[in-house]
Amino acid sequence: MYDVVVIGAGIIGTFITRELSKFDLKTIIIDKENDIANGTTKANSAIVHAGYDAKVGTLKGKLNAKGNAMYAHVCEELDVHFKKIGSFVIATNEEEMDSIKDLYERGCKNNIPDMKILSQEEVREMEPNLSEEIIGALYAPTAGIVSPWELSVALAENAADNGAEIKLETEVLGIEKNEKGYVIHTNNGDIKTKYIFNCAGVYTQEINEMVAPRSFTIHPRRGQYNVLDKGTGSIVNHVIFQAPTKFGKGTLVTPTVHGNLLIGPDAEDLEDKENTSTTSDRIAFIQEKSRKTTTKVPFNKTITSFAGLRAVSNLGDFIIEESKEAKGFINVAGIESPGLSAAPAIAEYAINILEGIIGELNKRKEFNPRRKPVIRFMELTDEEKAEVIKKDPRYGRIICRCENITEGEIVDAIHRNAGGRTVDGIKRRSRPGMGRCQGGFCGPRVMEILARELKMDIKDIVKDNKEAYILTEETKQNKPEEVTA
Ligand SMILES: Cc1cc2nc3c(=O)[nH]c(=O)nc-3n(C[C@H](O)[C@H](O)[C@H](O)COP(=O)(O)OP(=O)(O)OC[C@H]3O[C@@H](n4cnc5c(N)ncnc54)[C@H](O)[C@@H]3O)c2cc1C
């Protein structure tokens, strides 16, 4: 019998699980996918918002500002890339200037520190590549950028290092209430638990309705992006948003923590909770929109596009509460943007709800907040590189030439707690395949390493989800002597 089951291993579920691992609790996190962060957490803008945008008094408003302030510390503990580069909301006319002044006022009420309205000259000085049409901007220096999937994986790893269990490819099919708690029926057997956190992203509505009548709805709103090659990120120094207008929120242009440039997203309401396909018309739309910010985006350096699904609730705010009909069942639903930014604060808030139910939790003295540091070969000095290769020659073998990723880094990403088991899982952990060729050259090598290290048949190594197989059978079935001239 578990004390707590966390359903959903996105940024919210992994943050909560890591928080739970600080206490004397038997905890498990489960997910239907074959990797951590395979839902919305792998496909978003990766911005840690400052927090001026959310309506005053909402959970979004309170938890965004708080979460933002917690980011630097948790990313330092877990050795995850996070850069506090600040954000601009640009204005190109007086109406937009009014809109950014409103945002400034709202930011003050949300207690966002150090914001400033910049003049045209100040904008030009800080961001020389932006459009000449810009007449001012709201500057929020506390905004940042992060790698959401790296963080989610690191949280899961640290939680597992501290005793939490992880069970992937485990889809919740039904939940039964009984006098001791719950029995969760999955495709991977039944799981008994006293308490449940429902962190299933776009599926939180369905999971909630397994134990209680409908109290909220969630529908998916898709957003699409372009990613440009490494190096292009230096076109801008900050996250650049457009001022919200009656036509929408506009498109953002931002560097990523790894030096790429990200353009997007649009917003499109859908029915299908699995539809993360990209479409040429929407990509053309975001490209055109980005020209209002800058005309200097080199779209010929686009290396890929992707789409993510916002979990939009009918209630308009985060839903973080114990179900009224199911004691000990806590919904963490409707976590659309700024969910990533608020995630550390959401986890604390959720644990407070659990403490409200079962009383003060016992802290584990042996909790270790740090995970084993990650060797990122290209970030080392020449002396450090030589030292690392001396200890383990696999760090001297480059597998991904676009991103300069070594075999040592890939092997390490496989063997950690919550390690990668798929080609994209390795790509998200140590970046082979993230570059210009998108795995065209290194993909087969990564598959060989995965098969060797996990002692699996190479045909069973998939790209991402379990249907995304790469190899089926040998193309040359005939033995040489059977081949006729
Ligand atoms: C286009 C876009 C841009 C965004 N930009 C930002 C941003 O810049 N900054 C920001 O703060 N936020 C942003 N967000 C929001 C942020 O991405 C989300 O708030 C966050 O990723 C939600 O995380 P989650 O863990 O709730 O959901 P998810 O990451 O979707 O995780 C839910 C998990 O539940 C699992 N699951 C579902 N059903 C079941 C089941 N039956 N059994 C077992 N497991 C199940 C799924 O497989 C999934 O892994 C953006 C979102 C989108 C879509």
Side-chain angles (χ1 to χ4, degrees):
M1 175 93 157
Y2 288 94
D3 292 310
V4 189
V5 173
V6 178
I7 302 173
I11 193 73
I12 300 302
T14 51
F15 249 119
I16 289 178
T17 307
R18 196 245 185 176
E19 204 58 32
L20 288 166
S21 74
K22 295 178 179 171
F23 301 101
D24 267 329
L25 292 167
K26 187 169 159 60
T27 302
I28 187 169
I29 182 167
I30 61 175
D31 200 288
K32 65 182 171 64
E33 298 297 323
N34 55 3
D35 202 359
I36 310 293
N38 248 13
T40 299
T41 298
K42 77 171 175 191
N44 54 64
S45 307
I47 313 296
V48 178
H49 294 287
Y52 48 74
D53 191 33
K55 278 198 196 127
V56 181
T58 59
L59 271 182
K60 282 183 185 172
K62 285 181 207 151
L63 298 177
N64 184 164
K66 195 165 178 218
N68 174 297
M70 295 164 82
Y71 250 88
H73 179 64
V74 71
C75 289
E76 190 274 322
E77 278 183 339
L78 296 175
D79 190 17
V80 169
H81 289 104
F82 167 66
K83 293 181 183 167
K84 199 171 255 198
I85 59 173
S87 68
F88 281 22
V89 186
I90 54 157
T92 56
N93 56 41
E94 286 309 323
E95 192 195 331
E96 290 176 3
M97 277 307 281
D98 287 344
S99 167
I100 64 170
K101 282 176 196 156
D102 287 349
L103 284 177
Y104 177 85
E105 296 298 327
R106 208 187 297 168
C108 293
K109 290 185 186 140
N110 280 339
N111 297 319
I112 310 309
D114 307 327
M115 290 179 306
K116 193 178 167 202
I117 305 252
L118 302 177
S119 67
Q120 188 172 45
E121 293 66 41
E122 287 171 314
V123 171
R124 200 134 302 151
E125 199 179 311
M126 291 167 79
E127 284 290 359
N129 286 325
L130 293 194
S131 159
E132 306 259 307
E133 308 290 313
I134 294 167
I135 60 169
L138 170 64
Y139 174 47
T142 52
I145 50 177
V146 70
S147 169
W149 54 83
E150 264 180 57
L151 177 56
S152 206
V153 164
L155 288 160
E157 179 185 331
N158 185 243
D161 292 347
N162 284 297
E165 293 172 44
I166 302 172
K167 213 168 172 189
L168 299 175
E169 297 187 67
T170 301
E171 179 168 4
V172 177
L173 303 172
I175 305 176
E176 236 178 87
K177 272 191 266 187
N178 62 30
E179 64 286 355
K180 291 194 185 129
Y182 297 91
V183 181
I184 303 177
H185 303 298
T186 80
N187 60 326
N188 207 357
D190 287 352
I191 304 171
K192 292 185 186 146
T193 181
K194 295 179 196 154
Y195 306 100
I196 296 177
F197 281 102
N198 172 16
C199 310
V202 287
Y203 289 102
T204 41
Q205 178 189 341
E206 286 79 357
I207 301 286
N208 179 51
E209 288 172 19
M210 291 176 186
V211 297
R214 178 164 303 172
S215 53
F216 58 85
T217 60
I218 302 289
H219 83 265
R221 183 173 293 157
R222 183 171 62 180
Q224 303 191 27
Y225 295 88
N226 261 171
V227 184
L228 281 83
D229 203 0
K230 218 169 177 157
T232 52
S234 57
I235 287 174
V236 287
N237 305 313
H238 305 85
V239 179
I240 314 290
F241 298 103
Q242 295 170 353
T245 66
K246 54 180 182 263
F247 303 110
K249 280 196 168 179
T251 296
L252 75 89
V253 175
T254 180
T256 70
V257 283
H258 296 290
N260 300 79
L261 193 71
L262 190 65
I263 314 288
D266 65 334
E268 189 184 2
D269 288 312
L270 303 176
E271 303 263 301
D272 182 355
K273 294 188 173 180
E274 296 293 321
N275 189 351
T276 52
S277 50
T278 54
T279 57
S280 55
D281 59 328
R282 288 284 168 165
I283 293 293
F285 171 80
I286 55 164
Q287 291 187 354
E288 185 48 39
K289 281 262 176 190
S290 73
R291 297 176 65 78
K292 182 173 172 181
T293 300
T294 171
T295 51
K296 301 214 171 123
V297 176
F299 282 109
N300 60 340
K301 292 195 171 159
T302 301
I303 55 172
T304 190
S305 53
F306 68 86
L309 299 176
R310 304 167 180 92
V312 182
S313 102
N314 60 326
L315 304 182
D317 196 5
F318 295 155
I319 303 160
I320 313 171
E321 60 191 16
E322 183 184 22
S323 161
K324 289 183 183 62
E325 286 81 9
K327 292 285 151 218
F329 179 92
I330 300 163
N331 282 309
V332 192
I335 312 294
E336 54 177 325
S337 190
L340 172 66
S341 319
I346 289 177
E348 251 188 32
Y349 189 87
I351 301 300
N352 280 341
I353 294 177
L354 185 67
E355 285 199 303
I357 301 168
I358 58 179
E360 200 181 333
L361 298 168
N362 285 333
K363 285 218 166 88
R364 287 178 59 243
K365 280 191 207 70
E366 62 278 26
F367 174 76
N368 178 4
R370 298 190 172 271
R371 65 171 182 153
K372 192 174 83 178
V374 179
I375 295 173
R376 299 179 178 100
F377 190 73
M378 282 317 287
E379 294 176 14
L380 303 179
T381 62
D382 286 351
E383 292 73 34
E384 287 166 338
K385 282 178 183 160
E387 193 57 34
V388 165
I389 295 171
K390 209 161 99 191
K391 281 196 195 129
D392 184 344
R394 291 174 298 188
Y395 283 93
R397 213 169 296 136
I398 298 284
I399 300 295
C400 166
R401 280 177 282 156
C402 300
E403 296 286 314
N404 287 313
I405 307 298
T406 65
E407 183 178 359
E409 289 163 275
I410 295 170
V411 170
D412 179 50
I414 296 170
H415 291 300
R416 285 168 177 262
N417 270 330
R421 302 177 66 83
T422 64
V423 174
D424 280 3
I426 296 303
K427 174 174 157 178
R428 283 192 290 272
R429 284 165 178 79
S430 51
R431 295 186 61 73
M434 282 284 185
R436 188 172 308 179
C437 88
Q438 287 288 293
F441 288 97
C442 64
R445 304 288 312 280
V446 172
M447 288 176 73
E448 282 166 8
I449 298 169
L450 274 163
R452 183 190 75 207
E453 296 296 319
L454 297 172
K455 300 191 175 34
M456 283 169 72
D457 185 331
I458 195 160
K459 290 207 284 297
D460 295 331
I461 302 294
V462 291
K463 181 173 185 307
D464 204 357
N465 61 47
K466 56 181 179 290
E467 284 89 35
Y469 58 85
I470 300 167
L471 301 176
T472 50
E473 55 190 32
E474 288 173 31
T475 50
K476 299 230 168 37
Q477 304 259 340
N478 294 339
K479 297 199 179 81
E481 63 271 20
E482 289 170 349
V483 177
T484 50

